[in-house]
Amino acid sequence: MPLVGARRGAQCVEELATRQGGDAVGEVERGAVLSARHGRTAARGPRSSGYSARLAAHLGLPFAFAAHLSPGHVAAALQLYRDRFTPAAVLAEPYALANFAVMAADDEHEALRQTHSYTHSMMRMLHGRSYLVPTPDEAASYSCTASEQQVLGRWTNSVLHGTPDQVTAHLNRLHEAARPDEIMIASVGHTPQALLHSTELIADACILPTTPAPASVR
């Protein structure tokens, strides 16, 4: 972003935070990249939240919501962004992206096994341990405490998992509710092969064009 644009953005952050009683500097330092379209350099802004939706709308920027962290809040966040949007040099009308965590497999059981590998890695990270993704068998044999089980359940519910038809049906329901202009998906699981297979299954279910995968993940 040009220096003048960065200064204007910083001033708007301070102004918005002052009116809302927020910590502007802290929010920006913990920021996430807001997607930028039409060949423009990506602008930095706060993490996905009601605050960042209002900020992106105030600055007339695109808005990217991390629905892989909180899929249940995507519709409200995108509606808030659209309701508050002010046209600017970057965009004349609102443009929103939502990112979802997914895991599709040939059957529900395998999709859940792969999802549990990911959720265990998130649990480890939240408890201050290394971000290690266990195998599905290692995750299944782990003895959880009550608090760990709550964390695992919360992260499992944040992943759209199942057969390709189940995952795409869930994506379609969320799309109808939130109406994002663009959807990004991130397959989560244990191995590159499982992630690639998940992505291919979803692409086939959505009838998307085929793109050869890199040899390194075959």
Side-chain angles (χ1 to χ4, degrees), residues 77-128:
L78 267 58
Q79 188 60 53
L80 175 62
Y81 166 67
R82 293 190 186 97
D83 289 345
R84 302 290 185 91
F85 184 81
T86 301
V90 175
L91 287 177
E93 56 187 33
Y95 190 97
L97 175 150
N99 178 63
F100 297 95
V102 299
M103 170 42 64
D106 296 316
D107 59 73
E108 294 179 59
H109 177 66
E110 180 59 23
L112 185 58
R113 276 168 47 85
Q114 290 291 333
T115 298
H116 281 166
S117 288
Y118 164 75
T119 59
H120 270 259
S121 67
M122 297 304 296
M123 179 193 69
R124 289 177 59 86
M125 182 181 69
L126 291 173
H127 283 85

Side-chain angles (χ1 to χ4, degrees), residues 23 55 57 75 96 121 124 135 137 152 160 175 212:
D23 174 9
L55 176 59
S121 67
R124 289 177 59 86
T135 67
D137 288 339
L152 289 174
L160 314 184
H175 183 268

Side-chain angles (χ1 to χ4, degrees), residues 36-98:
R37 301 284 292 180
H38 314 300
R40 297 182 183 274
T41 303
R44 289 192 62 83
R47 56 192 174 182
S48 289
S49 65
Y51 179 93
S52 59
R54 289 190 293 271
L55 176 59
H58 181 71
L59 296 175
L61 293 173
F63 176 55
F65 186 79
H68 61 285
L69 303 179
S70 185
H73 295 120
V74 61
L78 267 58
Q79 188 60 53
L80 175 62
Y81 166 67
R82 293 190 186 97
D83 289 345
R84 302 290 185 91
F85 184 81
T86 301
V90 175
L91 287 177
E93 56 187 33
Y95 190 97
L97 175 150

